[in-house]
Amino acid sequence: MTNQLNSALKNSFFEKENGIRIPLSIPQISGNEWKYVKECLDTGWVSSAGQFVGRFEQCLADYIGRKYAVACINGTAALHIALLVAGIQPEDEVIIPALSFIAPANAVRYVGAWPVFVDISADLWQLDCQKLADFITKECEYKNGRLKNRHTKRYVKAIIPVHVLGHPVDMYPLLKLAEKYNLVIIEDAAESLGACYHSKRVGSLGDVACFSFNGNKTITSGGGGMILTDREEWAQRARYLTTQAKDDEEEYIHNEIGFNYRLSNVQAALGLAQLERLDHYVDIKRNIARRYAAGLKDVAGLTLPQEASWVDSIFWLYTILVEEKSYGINSRKLLSVLKDAGIQTRSLWHPLNTLKPFLKCFSYQVEVAQRIYEKGLSLPSSIGLSENQQNEVIKMIQENNVEWR
Ligand SMILES: *Cc1c(COP(=O)(O)O)cnc(C)c1O
């Protein structure tokens, strides 16, 4: 009852603020959130000390199947620290997909390294492992355990596979390349918590992995991130760097430049309560995807997201491609029609290689990313999306199609 009341209040607030009746992706608060946060408030443990940070870390490490987890203030900070513990140096290069949220590209620049953008595959919209292999074998030379980009003369040190929109990247070919060419794999699993690759959870496959608990992700801590690894020394170093590189607590000795990246106890309390509900939320996400697929499969001009046979996607944001000719209007026009009806949708990210800060970076055969970017539209995918709301979205998308009318 209270939960229903809360959600009714929340929805009317959201609508008044934004004119949005059906939001893209908002948090669902339905577990121990109030209880755990109240515990923080009652005990006064609201900041960087308190038991919830450790519990949240342990719970996520257990869920993913990794030895160590280190919490930090957000997913971007997690990527920054992961790059540092992986030993990425200024002027090194790090391979990332051209179609992704900007966080991994920015994090690469934070350590003074340079992103190299590789295209995505046309079917799954994830980092194209074949093109990546071609880049390595045709454009680089491998000598003395180091991979050198022939064009830039810089050394390629790592790959950040970004599991975008809830679907895992094809990791085995990447892991093979990484072994052969001495590269570190840093998984950006921010959008795919709970997804599986050959029955293994994303975040358990690379040398180190990062998650985000931003408000629009599948679970949220208000804001937060996590670094996961099986390497004890990397975990220790991550903890050290996120807490100002403190070598002596009493005398304030710091032998390195550190960061204030630790998650607060209140945020961890929220995150832990959310994590307890994750399996349920993943089921809901998959159900939402099934209903969209059933409702939209016969609409001319739409391409629906695929799920490879070797994965369990969580369909974080259910994203379709809109073909202007056969559908009747393009993705941006459809976005605005839905917006006028109070339905919030979103375009995909601008290909990173075409953004101003990255224009000078090397990019390899980026073609598909541009096409997917132009046609992509992410549909409302909140855990709390009701069947009626979803039917309304489906109906509007059907009715805007030229052939349907
Ligand atoms: C959300 C996200 C992040 C991290 O975002 P924060 O807002 O910093 O927590 C990183 N990578 C990807 C692909 C993301 O979608």
Side-chain angles (χ1 to χ4, degrees):
M1 187 60 198
T2 10
N3 268 338
Q4 266 167 22
L5 207 62
N6 278 335
S7 109
L9 273 173
K10 206 166 58 195
N11 285 343
S12 69
F13 174 76
F14 206 81
E15 191 177 339
K16 262 200 220 101
E17 285 289 296
N18 307 294
I20 294 168
R21 284 182 307 113
I22 306 180
L24 181 78
S25 181
I26 56 167
Q28 176 81 357
I29 309 293
S30 57
N32 285 321
E33 289 85 350
W34 282 97
K35 184 174 161 224
Y36 292 171
V37 171
K38 185 172 185 301
E39 209 176 304
C40 295
L41 301 179
D42 288 344
T43 57
W45 292 107
V46 292
S47 189
S48 52
Q51 52 141 332
F52 281 111
V53 176
R55 280 174 68 187
F56 187 30
E57 289 173 337
Q58 190 59 51
C59 191
L60 191 69
D62 291 345
Y63 182 84
I64 301 296
R66 283 238 114 139
K67 286 200 186 125
Y68 307 100
V70 179
C72 43
I73 46 167
N74 57 52
T76 310
L79 285 163
H80 182 189
I81 296 298
L83 286 156
L84 288 173
V85 300
I88 308 306
Q89 304 276 336
E91 298 305 308
D92 284 345
E93 289 191 334
V94 177
I95 298 168
I96 66 175
L99 195 81
S100 159
F101 180 56
I102 198 163
N106 280 343
V108 168
R109 291 298 296 127
Y110 296 167
V111 302
W114 297 93
V116 167
F117 299 104
V118 170
D119 207 4
I120 56 166
S121 66
D123 52 353
L124 301 174
W125 316 338
Q126 308 293 330
L127 183 61
D128 186 327
C129 299
Q130 189 51 53
K131 279 189 178 173
L132 173 53
D134 288 349
F135 163 69
I136 289 174
T137 51
K138 293 179 182 154
E139 313 293 334
C140 301
E141 55 193 73
Y142 188 63
K143 229 166 70 189
N144 303 326
R146 302 209 293 177
L147 188 69
K148 190 178 190 175
N149 182 341
R150 262 193 223 130
H151 300 267
T152 59
K153 314 282 183 227
R154 295 192 277 245
Y155 290 102
V156 181
K157 293 286 181 62
I159 306 170
I160 304 183
V162 183
H163 307 288
V164 296
L165 300 169
H167 191 290
V169 174
D170 193 4
M171 292 297 291
Y172 289 156
L174 279 194
L175 293 169
K176 263 199 199 137
L177 285 169
E179 201 183 329
K180 190 163 172 195
Y181 296 103
N182 198 17
L183 304 170
V184 174
I185 302 257
I186 300 167
E187 289 183 80
D188 181 343
E191 299 176 7
S192 298
L193 174 59
C196 291
Y197 174 77
H198 289 287
S199 306
K200 297 191 179 86
R201 292 215 190 274
V202 301
S204 68
L205 296 143
D207 297 286
V208 53
C210 298
F211 286 97
S212 161
F213 311 106
N214 182 34
N216 69 0
K217 298 286 163 31
T218 305
I219 64 166
T220 184
S221 57
M226 199 85 84
I227 304 160
L228 285 95
T229 183
D230 289 335
R231 303 189 189 194
E232 191 182 1
E233 64 283 27
W234 284 24
Q236 275 170 358
R237 186 152 171 76
R239 206 170 289 281
Y240 173 74
L241 289 173
T242 53
T243 48
Q244 306 277 31
K246 199 188 304 165
D247 286 284
D248 186 307
E249 272 193 40
E250 280 153 27
E251 294 297 330
Y252 291 97
I253 308 291
H254 307 262
N255 292 314
E256 269 187 71
I257 302 292
F259 303 89
N260 180 10
Y261 277 178
R262 281 297 266 167
L263 195 70
S264 77
N265 203 44
V266 177
Q267 290 169 307
L270 202 50
L272 178 65
Q274 290 262 294
L275 185 52
E276 291 170 352
R277 305 281 289 154
L278 178 59
D279 281 337
H280 179 53
Y281 289 173
V282 168
D283 287 344
I284 292 175
K285 287 274 193 198
R286 292 183 60 83
N287 264 328
I288 290 173
R290 258 190 292 272
R291 291 204 299 262
Y292 273 133
L296 299 175
K297 70 180 189 324
D298 296 326
V299 182
L302 298 186
T303 303
L304 307 184
Q306 296 187 36
E307 184 180 29
S309 60
W310 29 268
V311 310
D312 298 286
S313 172
I314 60 154
F315 296 94
W316 169 58
L317 292 180
Y318 191 89
T319 302
I320 59 173
L321 306 185
V322 182
E323 195 70 54
E324 180 168 8
K325 268 206 193 101
S326 39
Y327 180 74
I329 53 175
N330 67 24
S331 61
R332 302 312 194 260
K333 184 77 181 49
L334 181 57
L335 181 146
S336 98
V337 168
L338 292 168
K339 188 178 175 194
D340 290 343
I343 298 168
Q344 185 184 30
T345 61
R346 200 176 86 173
S347 313
L348 287 174
W349 316 277
H350 210 284
L352 300 175
N353 59 309
T354 61
L355 296 178
K356 203 170 157 197
F358 306 114
L359 285 176
K360 287 192 184 136
C361 298
F362 190 76
S363 57
Y364 186 70
Q365 294 190 352
V366 180
E367 298 141 21
V368 178
Q370 182 68 30
R371 215 172 65 223
I372 304 296
Y373 156 70
E374 282 164 13
K375 294 178 186 170
L377 190 70
S378 298
L379 306 181
S381 303
S382 303
I383 308 290
L385 181 72
S386 75
E387 215 164 320
N388 279 343
Q389 287 177 318
Q390 194 177 359
N391 287 339
E392 193 186 330
V393 177
I394 291 169
K395 192 152 167 270
M396 285 220 58
I397 296 173
Q398 289 172 341
E399 285 171 352
N400 274 283
N401 171 231
V402 271
E403 283 178 26
W404 207 277
R405 273 175 266 168

